[in-house]
Amino acid sequence: MLCLATGKAASKELERIDQLFFSYANNSSGLIDPEGIESFCSDLEVDHTDVRILMLAWKMQAEKQGYFTLDEWRRGLRALRADTIVKLKKALPDLEKEVRRPSTFEDFYTYAFRYCLTEEKQKSIDIESICVLLDLVLGSRFGPQVDYLVQYLKTQTDYMVINMDQWKGFYRFCTEISFPDLSNYDPDSAWPWILDNFVDWMRAKQG
Amino acid sequence: MVLHKFGEKLYSGLVGTMTLHLQEMAKTIEAAQGNLFLEELNRKWNDHNKALQMIRDILMYMDRTFIPSNRKTPVHELGLNLWRDNVIHSSKIQTRLLDTLLELIQKERTGEIINRGLMRNIIKMLMDLGSSVYQEDFEKHFLEVSADFYRAESQDFIECCDCGDYLKKAERRLNEEIERVSLYLDSKSETKITNVVEKEMIASHMLRLVHMDNSGLVNMLIDDKYEDLGRMYNLFRRVPNGLPTIRDVMTSHLRETGKQLVTDAEKLKDPVEFVQCLLNEKDKYDKIINLAFSNDKTFQNALNSSFEYFINLNPRSPEFISLFVDEKLRKGLKGVSEEDVETILDKVMMLFRYLQEKDVFEKYYKQHLAKRLLSGKTVSDDAERSLIVKLKTECGYQFTSKLEGMFTDMKTSQDTMQGFYAAYAAELGDSPTLVVQVLTTGSWPTQPSITCNLPAEMSALCEKFRSYYLGTHTGRRLSWQTNMGTADLKAIFGKGQKHELNVSTYQMCVLMLFNSADRLSYKEIEQATEIPSSDLRRCLQSLACVKGKNVLRKEPMSKDIGEEDAFFVNDKFASKFYKVKIGTVVAQKESEPEKQETRQRVEEDRKPQIEAAIVRIMKSRRVLDHNNIIAEVTKQLQSRFLANPGEIKKRIESLIERDFLERDSSDRRLYRYLA
């Protein structure tokens, strides 16, 4: 009986999650498209560029930027145990805490990069977008590093785009290297070349 | 007496009698005056020896039976011991003997003649009394006194002699001591006394000698003082750290002068002279090491590493070495015997070995060879091929196959031209002669170029050739490299002067225009020929602005070509020669932009080589850390060029991006090969 009850409750919950999905979805494509996301964000009272939307997308493991499929929606909302906008709003602080846990953050961080790859076979992201993304995901934790890195990325001319290896390198750099003295940076270890250059640039700046 | 058990009495009687007798002897010896002392000692020693011989013979029975069984000292030895204790060690003789001996040696050292025979006998006596007597009563003191003597003497010498003289003196002293030992000392003393001389005269003053102002090692090297250098080498070899001291000074001097040489702005103006200076420097030191340093391997290595160091300080060395070869193969080797040619080429190859950026040399070599072949300017085919064989040995087949391709093209082109003229002889009549060299793309350092407009009679001929060539070689594409050709023109000037002009294809195109015009503006020429403007300027400059070669006249007269200039045939052209070669104004060395372009091409060519090396290494190692991969790639490529670690890193990252490699998920210094 108990089993049945929870089963029933679960199916009820799923029904409400689906209902919520369809209230934002585009009727012809069956997806929540950028327009749907916009109205979803305004109901949630969160800006669509807010990092928490990226966290939601991560929780849903959304594949394509600007779109949620029904499967993704279900995956995310069930995990958050939220079937209404109100519950979802309440779940956000916990979601944020979960993402900020070191064990999950790296997964979220690489997900953020992949999420921005919009084209088939695209492997790297332009500097402009990378700067925005860096600020979004690392800005609150590594403010000074991100500020300098963004400043450097915008002035350097060696690279037009950033790939996953470099992206991962940025995060490791923030977590491992003492900043701003850079005392434990060893250019002979395998840091991506762009970080060698960044460090040179920083040191020149510091005189 | 022994038989009657009086052995003990006999033995002690012998000891007593001999002791008394020797004490008497000692007294007479002591009484000897001055120089006679040693002679007296020697005489008494001989007497004692003779007496001892007889006593031993007489007491032979005791010697054989009583003495061994009673563990007494044998007669002869007893006699020597008693002599030692009563004579040599008598208080009045012991020190006098030592002083006399040392005094005599001192006299001999200061040039006096002494009685060496007597010395030898006395020293022999000391040695007969046992090696400990020789060492304790003479050798120990001898060595001490010698050390004092040489310490003082070397101090005097070093104050007043130059390095060469000092070394001569030291060498002489050393030989004297060796001679002294052979004449009257124990041969075991030789190493001991030479050690003293070496320590006092060489080791203590080594640095001061090497660095002596105006006469030290550096001056000897500069002035090629083979004898002095050889002496220094042989003397310094005897002391610890001697040779490294010479080697280090030589190395730092060589590096310093080499560095000055390769950065000397004057020398850089003439690449041939620059390389000649390097070769002279190498010859100079080869000779020094051969004549003075007995071909010491460690010195040769020091020489090589010094050259490698400073040659690579100048990034243009590869270009200059190739230019040197170019000059030699164009004219420098005319009339030189085959052996001498080989010697020069071998020397060039030796410099080539020092280069870190061999690929840069190869790039220039290819360019220069191409120019030589196309202009027919090479002096000797044998010399060209010999150098290619040498390069093949050094760099392998890959590089030289392109060069060999160039030679093949030249040969094939000759045959093609023969075929062409055989087929078209009748049809062509008296039209100009065309010589085409068909160059395989890839083998030659061709640059994509715009074909300029050829004169009508030439372009018709070119078309004929094209159809002939493509008729026998279907599927090929021909494009004309008008920037590389030459032409011979017959020209008649105003007063009927006839000349044959040897010009470039571009110059030919310009000159032909004047067959149908008297005056042409720069613009008109540019329009008619479509020669790229920088080339056109150089071409007009060489036709109108070079004295003695100015077949054209320009208005206004000036050294540079302006867009508004007008050109005329120079009716007053005059030359002593019937054949006039009009060169193109070209910088022989590369200009700054050309240099950068070549550099860029070199860098581009290196990328795939670095990547290939990384992949080769990772394929066999599967997992490797960053530092090791850098080291292995550098090692694999060093026969070609010195790979920049930063560039290797970039190539690794590019391979990661293309999924050939991945970074280990936990240790980011490890790379994994993805099959």
Side-chain angles (χ1 to χ4, degrees), chain A:
Chain A
M1 258 333 261
L2 194 71
C3 220
L4 193 70
T6 48
K8 228 175 185 178
S11 72
K12 273 276 179 210
E13 186 189 32
L14 190 57
E15 220 167 274
R16 279 194 295 274
I17 287 174
D18 285 4
Q19 267 170 20
L20 198 56
F21 178 81
F22 288 111
S23 69
Y24 296 112
N26 178 316
N27 282 337
S28 58
S29 65
L31 296 172
I32 298 182
D33 59 14
E35 221 171 289
I37 288 184
E38 199 144 325
S39 60
F40 167 63
C41 287
S42 71
D43 290 350
L44 210 53
E45 294 170 322
V46 173
D47 191 79
H48 73 280
T49 58
D50 193 290
V51 68
R52 282 172 293 181
I53 299 302
L54 190 57
M55 290 171 177
L56 268 177
W58 169 74
K59 200 71 194 170
M60 296 182 203
Q61 289 295 300
E63 293 238 344
K64 199 171 172 200
Q65 197 176 5
Y67 297 89
F68 294 140
T69 64
L70 181 58
D71 281 347
E72 292 164 352
W73 181 267
R74 283 174 172 171
R75 190 184 307 144
L77 269 65
R78 272 160 92 180
L80 290 169
R81 308 221 53 88
D83 51 12
T84 63
I85 284 291
V86 181
K87 282 189 192 166
L88 198 51
K89 229 188 254 183
K90 279 187 184 152
L92 282 181
D94 280 339
L95 173 61
E96 201 166 344
K97 254 182 232 156
E98 184 192 347
V99 169
R100 297 288 180 208
R101 267 206 300 275
S103 52
T104 41
F105 186 79
E106 199 162 341
D107 186 58
F108 167 72
Y109 180 82
T110 50
Y111 169 81
F113 184 88
R114 273 202 309 274
Y115 187 60
C116 293
L117 299 172
T118 50
E119 304 300 317
E120 189 83 355
K121 289 188 180 163
Q122 186 188 347
K123 282 188 168 175
S124 37
I125 298 171
D126 64 285
I127 293 287
E128 194 65 36
S129 313
I130 278 294
C131 291
V132 173
L133 197 59
L134 264 179
D135 192 43
L136 192 64
V137 297
L138 293 180
S140 61
R141 251 177 93 193
F142 302 102
Q145 285 95 321
V146 170
D147 285 349
Y148 279 110
L149 200 51
V150 165
Q151 200 187 337
Y152 170 71
L153 287 176
K154 288 185 173 165
T155 45
Q156 58 84 34
T157 51
D158 295 309
Y159 291 95
M160 312 280 284
V161 293
I162 294 299
N163 61 31
M164 179 63 110
D165 186 52
Q166 293 162 326
W167 175 252
K168 284 185 180 169
F170 293 160
Y171 177 62
R172 289 205 191 98
F173 179 88
C174 290
T175 51
E176 290 172 26
I177 299 303
S178 146
F179 200 87
D181 59 89
L182 309 168
S183 54
N184 59 345
Y185 187 85
D186 175 9
D188 289 334
S189 18
W191 291 103
W193 194 66
I194 194 169
L195 279 165
D196 291 342
N197 292 347
F198 171 61
V199 168
D200 289 346
W201 177 84
M202 278 293 292
R203 292 201 167 125
K205 231 176 149 60
Q206 291 163 349

Side-chain angles (χ1 to χ4, degrees), chain B residues 43-60:
Chain B
R43 194 173 315 119
K44 290 280 187 280
W45 166 247
N46 284 335
D47 291 350
H48 178 62
N49 258 335
K50 261 182 231 153
L52 201 55
Q53 200 98 32
M54 275 191 268
I55 293 169
R56 191 180 57 182
D57 290 348
I58 292 164
L59 298 180
M60 196 181 294

